[in-house]
Amino acid sequence: MATVIGAHNFAALKTVYERPSLRWILQPRMQLTFSGRRMNLQSKSSDEVEGSPFDHKGLLQSQELYQYILETSVYPREPAPLKEIRAITENHPYFFMGASPDSGQLIAMLLDMLNAKNTIELGVFTGYSLLLTALTIPDDGKILAIDPNLESYEMGLPIIQKAGVEHKIDFKYSLALPVLDKLLEDDNNKSSFDFAFVDADKTNYGNYHKRLMQLVRVGGLIVYDNTLWYGSVGMPEESVDKLMRPERSYLVELNKSLAADTRIQISQVPLGDGMTICRRLF
């Protein structure tokens, strides 16, 4: 299956989620639960076989442990507007694309530690990570948010407005690369961002990195989401579902490239679907 460069591979995700054995997961408002088994990423000969790479968001395989983390450390400190945006995201056909709240908690801490004021976000979806950033940075801070899907953004916009942080957001309804290239035409934009969060089309992560390394300041952070791709990056390609292989291939190369990039300090964190935190050194 061909992957559309510059956009999420919605067709692949949709095909996986339309398997009869997985229809239960599309029910609105239903809480995601673990199956109690390890995720099965291998290709299936029948749709009736249980298991899917998209059975749940995180890499932790124990429902009890993940629920413990959420209920003990995450949910009690999660601001009410973020709880609300999680609730409305459950009604979205691609609700599983929302940022995981445990990942969001780490992002908020990173923003605070950086004293971040000027940030950029590639891939907004319904706006969980965007709202989290807007709530965390100071009142005169700014977020350049880019996404080619206006409808999803508008689902969360009323909550962002109610939270009183819309003035911090400059939303660009566009693919990311044209906006990034336009920014780089003005030298004043270079090294002007404190923080970047990337949760967009995986096939362009390498292209985004080249540009963000010019836009984010020395000492600033670039965070890439989904870099473990449901654990498939650690498996032989031939044993991974064909629908997952295009993104897996790009992410495997990205992970190698980031590990070899001497301009950054990195930490790959197994929260959510895997996040790689990059600190620009020079």
Side-chain angles (χ1 to χ4, degrees):
M1 177 179 295
T3 301
V4 179
I5 304 299
H8 285 289
N9 192 356
F10 290 116
L13 300 180
K14 187 173 186 292
T15 300
V16 171
Y17 264 84
E18 284 181 343
R19 291 178 179 175
S21 60
L22 299 174
R23 269 187 203 131
W24 63 270
I25 209 169
L26 291 174
Q27 297 301 316
R29 305 182 186 281
M30 182 175 287
Q31 183 178 0
L32 286 177
T33 58
F34 289 85
S35 60
R37 61 184 182 279
R38 293 192 64 81
M39 277 196 304
N40 194 329
L41 300 178
Q42 296 182 2
S43 302
K44 301 296 181 182
S45 58
S46 169
D47 280 336
E48 298 305 316
V49 179
E50 289 187 359
S52 161
F54 303 106
D55 267 359
H56 58 76
K57 182 77 176 176
L59 294 171
L60 285 173
Q61 301 307 310
S62 162
Q63 176 184 1
E64 291 79 13
L65 181 56
Y66 189 58
Q67 285 301 121
Y68 175 83
I69 293 170
L70 293 176
E71 293 173 5
T72 304
S73 302
V74 180
Y75 290 156
R77 291 172 172 261
E78 185 182 40
L82 292 179
K83 296 181 189 295
E84 191 173 352
I85 213 163
R86 275 199 298 112
I88 66 103
T89 301
E90 289 179 3
N91 295 313
H92 194 286
Y94 298 104
F95 66 89
F96 50 88
M97 289 173 53
S100 63
D102 49 330
S103 298
Q105 188 178 61
L106 176 59
I107 290 170
M109 181 181 288
L110 295 175
L111 289 165
D112 277 335
M113 292 173 68
L114 270 179
N115 293 315
K117 187 172 180 179
N118 193 28
T119 76
I120 187 167
E121 181 160 332
L122 310 186
V124 173
F125 193 44
T126 57
Y128 185 92
S129 56
L130 177 62
L131 175 57
L132 178 144
T133 301
L135 290 169
T136 305
I137 63 176
D139 194 58
D140 60 345
K142 293 296 179 184
I143 310 163
L144 175 60
I146 311 168
D147 199 298
N149 189 322
L150 184 61
E151 183 178 357
S152 295
Y153 171 65
E154 289 180 339
M155 279 186 67
L157 183 57
I159 300 170
I160 291 171
Q161 293 170 332
K162 186 170 67 173
V165 293
E166 186 186 12
H167 65 283
K168 303 182 188 181
I169 297 168
D170 178 15
F171 179 79
K172 301 291 186 185
Y173 172 41
S174 171
L175 295 174
L177 288 177
V179 178
L180 298 179
D181 287 338
K182 184 67 175 177
L183 285 173
L184 288 170
E185 291 177 5
D186 184 348
D187 286 342
N188 291 324
N189 292 322
K190 294 179 180 179
S191 299
S192 67
F193 290 91
D194 303 305
F195 181 90
F197 180 62
V198 184
D199 186 10
D201 56 302
K202 317 311 168 192
T203 53
N204 263 319
Y205 271 25
N207 291 324
Y208 297 149
H209 186 68
K210 292 175 185 176
R211 291 155 175 82
L212 291 172
M213 281 297 292
Q214 300 177 67
L215 292 166
V216 172
R217 65 172 173 83
V218 172
L221 297 180
I222 306 169
V223 177
Y224 295 99
D225 201 15
N226 305 112
T227 56
L228 296 179
W229 201 232
Y230 298 91
S232 67
V233 295
M235 299 177 62
E237 183 178 7
E238 61 272 14
S239 65
V240 175
D241 193 299
K242 290 181 180 179
L243 294 170
M244 299 187 69
R245 291 180 189 176
E247 287 85 356
R248 175 198 172 277
S249 177
Y250 279 95
L251 289 169
V252 166
E253 291 306 311
L254 173 82
N255 291 336
K256 291 178 182 177
S257 175
L258 294 179
D261 191 341
T262 59
R263 301 170 300 168
I264 56 175
Q265 178 183 12
I266 68 168
S267 177
Q268 194 164 35
V269 184
L271 285 175
D273 189 28
M275 292 196 312
T276 302
I277 304 166
C278 308
R279 176 173 172 261
R280 184 182 169 191
L281 299 176
F282 57 88

